[in-house]
Amino acid sequence: MNLKQQLAEEIAGFTRDPLGYCSFAFPWGEGDLSNSTGPYIWQSDVLRYITGHLQNPRTQYTPCLVSVSSGHGIRKSGFVGMISQWAMSTCEGCRVVITANSDPQLRTKTWPEVSKWFRLGSTKTGSRSKPNPLRSKTRNTSVLGAPTV
């Protein structure tokens, strides 16, 4: 088994564990993340909530609804980048819809942050190096789509 296959197999083990994936896939304590040891506490709490939802046989096939209400600068876009990378790396055929209040916000704030997390993640080999934003026909909506590792 080559390294790429080994990585794909390891990552597949995080299909129902987004916190585990984020701990594994991102280079915490290095480079751009040199001042971070992992996701912020609130991000870890939401990732644990999603993990619980996905691992519970009664809820795992139902929508997991999460909302985060806050001010500016708490890294919501960074969180969207992390969770999008987890979903697209571990869930076959996944599509992630990302919206914002305005097109300029989506293009100047959200997408750069989401792209950053795709560059940082361990699935950046081959065609997975960047998200592929496609403008939808719905205003202020973008869709991420990429092949499964």
Side-chain angles (χ1 to χ4, degrees), residues 44-118:
S44 294
D45 290 344
V46 174
L47 291 168
R48 268 193 281 292
Y49 176 81
I50 295 168
T51 296
H53 181 89
L54 293 173
Q55 292 180 357
N56 182 335
R58 289 180 300 210
T59 60
Q60 65 186 356
Y61 297 109
T62 63
C64 179
L65 304 175
V66 176
S67 65
V68 176
S69 177
S70 68
H72 299 286
I74 70 153
R75 312 304 294 170
K76 291 183 302 283
S77 294
F79 181 68
V80 168
M82 283 187 267
I83 201 80
S84 297
Q85 219 232 41
W86 160 76
M88 292 179 60
S89 296
T90 64
C91 304
E92 188 172 347
C94 179
R95 299 290 184 264
V96 177
V97 177
I98 299 175
T99 63
N101 288 333
S102 67
D103 187 59
Q105 179 185 355
L106 191 62
R107 284 192 279 139
T108 63
K109 294 182 172 104
T110 307
W111 274 120
E113 191 67 19
V114 169
S115 294
K116 169 188 164 184
W117 287 93
F118 272 78

Side-chain angles (χ1 to χ4, degrees), residues 123-145:
T123 60
K124 65 183 177 183
T125 59
S127 65
R128 306 272 313 173
S129 61
K130 294 181 182 177
N132 180 17
L134 302 173
R135 294 293 296 155
S136 78
K137 293 178 183 177
T138 307
R139 187 180 164 163
N140 299 335
T141 304
S142 289
V143 178
L144 279 176

